Every structure is written in structure tokens, then in C-alpha cells.
Amino acid sequence: MSGRGRGTAVRAGALAVTVAGAAAGTWAGARALRRRARTVPSRAVLVEPTGDRTAATPYHREGTGTPLVLLHGITATWKVWMPLLPYLTAHHDVLALTLVGHDGGAPLAEGVAVSVDALVDGVEAELDRLGVDTAHLVGNSLGGWVAIELARRGRARSLVLFSPAGAYTSKRRLAMVTAGIGASLSLLVRLAPRLDTIVQRPAGRRALAFTQVAHPERLPPDVVADTARSALAATIATPLLRVLLDTPLDPLPAGHRYPIRLVWAQPDRVIPFAHFGAPMLEKLPGAELIRQPGIGHVPMSDDPPLVSRLVTEITTAADRATP
């Protein structure tokens, strides 16, 4: 990555994660847009804007080493991972993908039903096209669920998951999450003509981002507005929300030979650990659990060195253990 590209990594990654109000996963994201948010402290560090947003693309590939695949959450794009690229590409051939039906990603093929399996099929086809057999798999939220399914299909060298979706203590709680996302997306449609005005105020930016990231005060106005528009371009989001309630994640089989690290933000304002993380841990035999303070549900822009280290500790150990 060029010096200029590295310098813009945090901004571009933040662009891909700050949907929040559009994909908060709770009613709080939608409600926050209707009330005055807390004033941002003056000591907050603002991520510097560096010009127009780059065009949405299906994937980004960079680096040398064993292959590592990065998978984003619902309504995001591969750019969610950009803050980590300077740290990961020194160790790995990094492939960051945009899932089918998301901004810049391939459309869902005609006649294919919307499902998590359809997303997994799309990733697997892209891996085959790019000549990647097995890889270290890293996923966030919905992307974590996709990574688990890829591991089930024999594509994992290791598995690192940041607050993955797919497990829950009750269907009612999951229904609340999906309803909250749907309500927030509907509200965002109505707000779209005024987004550029809303995000000029710290309160507006916080209302759009506080559920997703730990530090929404660091995000510049154009990043928040552009990411919200990217969420609206995720054509698969609404139909996918309708089917998630009927497609629970099955446990991974015991006896797998790859390491698993499960990282959960403490707190996670989208899918709290008690109701979503604890049941997920039961579905991942042998997984290591880390409850991590200081990061949000979508953690990449909150602390890039830390989040990268949580990945490379596992991938490095797995590579050393592989003949």
C-alpha cells in the first residue's frame, strides 16, 4: 500500500462501518435520530477527511504470505477492513470481499433465493475464481456467520470472529434485532435527502454511529453520510432480514483442526454477549473467548493495532503449526 493509501486507511474503513442508525440492530439507533444526542467531548480525535469516496468495488487484494479472507457485516463493504490493511498485509495475502447484494458486490444471481447460504456460495465462488483454496477466515457480524459456514465447508486455516451473528437465546430477541435494523433502514430512506446537513452536527453523527462503533466522535461528516448511502445500496439487506429468523446457525462439528478465536465487544450495543455471544460460544467447540473493552460491534476503526493483533496472534500460530 502506498504512503497515501496507508494514511487514508482509517478514514476509508470508517466509511464502511458507520451505518449505525441504518444497521444498528436495535430500536435505539432509530430512536436516537429523533432526540438530541450527548455533546461530543472536545478531546475527541476526528479522523481526517481526505477527499471523495472511492468507487465501490467487489474486493481488494494486497499483501504477501498465507491467504487471509476478510468478511464484513450487513450493509457494509470490504472497506470496513481498511484500517487493518497496513498491519495485516505484511503477514498475509489479504483478500477483503464485498458480499453479494451489497454496495459494489455482485448481484444475487437470478432465481437464487436470498439466504446466508447464498452469501456463502458467492464467497466460495470468488475464492475459487481467485485461486484460494483454504485461508485464514476473519468475519464481523453477518460476515462472521459466513466465515463459520465457510469453515464448515473445509475452507478454514483459522477462524477469527468479531461479534458474529447467527446464535441467540431466544427467537424473540433476534426478532427485535432484525426489526430494529429494518426500522432504521426505513428511517434512513426518509432522511437521505438531508443526510449531508444532519451529519454536520456532532449530535447527528453520534446518533447515526453510536451503536456500531465505540468512538463515533472520531468520524468526519462525509464519512458518515457516504456510509449511510452505501447501506441503502445494499439491496439484499431487507429480504435477508426476513429469512434470518428461520435459518439458525448449526454448531460446528467437534474435532476440527483449525483454531477459533471469538472476540466480543464489551459492551456490544447491537448484539449483547449475554443473549448472542454466550449461545454462539456453545456452537464453536474449542473456541477461545475474548471479551474486549474499548471497541464496538464493528471494531476496525476503534483500535486498528489492537484488532489486527487479535487476528495475527491466531493466524501466526496456525501457520507455525502447519507443516
Side-chain angles (χ1 to χ4, degrees):
M1 180 183 286
S2 67
R4 182 178 182 274
R6 292 178 186 275
T8 62
V10 170
R11 176 192 180 273
L15 180 153
V17 305
T18 51
V19 172
T26 67
W27 289 99
R31 290 200 307 264
L33 293 172
R34 299 186 178 94
R35 66 174 183 261
R36 183 168 180 169
R38 181 176 60 83
T39 302
V40 176
S42 60
R43 64 179 180 274
V45 178
L46 193 69
V47 180
E48 282 297 322
T50 56
D52 292 338
R53 173 188 178 194
T54 55
T57 53
Y59 71 92
H60 176 81
R61 192 171 191 177
E62 180 185 355
T64 58
T66 52
L68 184 149
V69 174
L70 303 173
L71 301 166
H72 63 78
I74 193 167
T75 76
T77 73
W78 72 261
K79 294 184 181 71
V80 72
W81 300 101
M82 282 197 72
L84 309 191
L85 294 184
Y87 304 94
L88 299 180
T89 54
H91 306 278
H92 295 287
D93 172 13
V94 176
L95 177 59
L97 294 173
T98 294
L99 298 176
V100 166
H102 289 73
D103 191 17
L108 191 65
E110 186 174 353
V112 175
V114 173
S115 66
V116 174
D117 280 343
L119 299 180
V120 181
D121 291 343
V123 172
E124 194 164 33
E126 191 70 353
L127 295 181
D128 290 342
R129 187 182 73 82
L130 295 172
V132 177
D133 182 19
T134 60
H136 301 290
L137 303 176
V138 182
N140 172 226
S141 198
L142 174 63
W145 190 348
V146 172
I148 292 168
E149 297 303 331
L150 286 168
R152 197 189 309 277
R153 298 183 185 189
R155 308 300 291 248
R157 297 184 181 208
S158 68
L159 196 55
V160 180
L161 307 167
F162 293 93
S163 297
Y168 44 87
T169 55
S170 74
K171 209 168 185 178
R172 175 178 171 274
R173 290 193 179 276
L174 178 61
M176 291 173 64
V177 170
T178 57
I181 297 174
S184 297
L185 283 169
S186 296
L187 178 60
L188 193 57
V189 170
R190 297 196 297 272
L191 292 174
R194 296 183 286 128
L195 270 175
D196 291 324
T197 300
I198 292 169
V199 299
Q200 294 306 313
R201 299 184 62 186
R205 296 197 297 277
R206 179 172 176 79
L208 284 167
F210 83 101
T211 57
Q212 290 277 25
V213 299
H215 302 289
E217 71 277 3
R218 299 178 181 177
L219 302 169
D222 64 323
V223 167
V224 179
D226 285 345
T227 305
R229 294 188 179 102
S230 190
L232 293 174
T235 56
I236 202 173
T238 298
L240 185 61
L241 291 173
R242 299 191 189 108
V243 303
L244 289 181
L245 287 171
D246 299 319
T247 53
L249 172 72
D250 292 326
L252 279 178
H256 56 77
R257 302 184 66 180
Y258 50 84
I260 303 175
R261 172 173 280 181
L262 177 64
V263 182
W264 218 275
Q266 187 175 338
D268 189 313
R269 296 187 181 98
V270 178
I271 48 175
F273 180 81
H275 305 298
F276 297 92
M280 176 60 73
L281 188 61
E282 296 177 358
K283 294 177 180 289
L284 302 173
E288 172 198 15
L289 171 65
I290 295 180
R291 301 287 305 280
Q292 184 62 53
I295 61 173
H297 178 70
V298 183
M300 298 69 153
S301 66
D302 285 324
D303 192 337
L306 169 65
V307 176
S308 299
R309 188 168 66 251
L310 290 169
V311 173
T312 56
E313 286 174 350
I314 295 300
T315 61
T316 299
D319 284 340
R320 287 174 178 168
T322 302

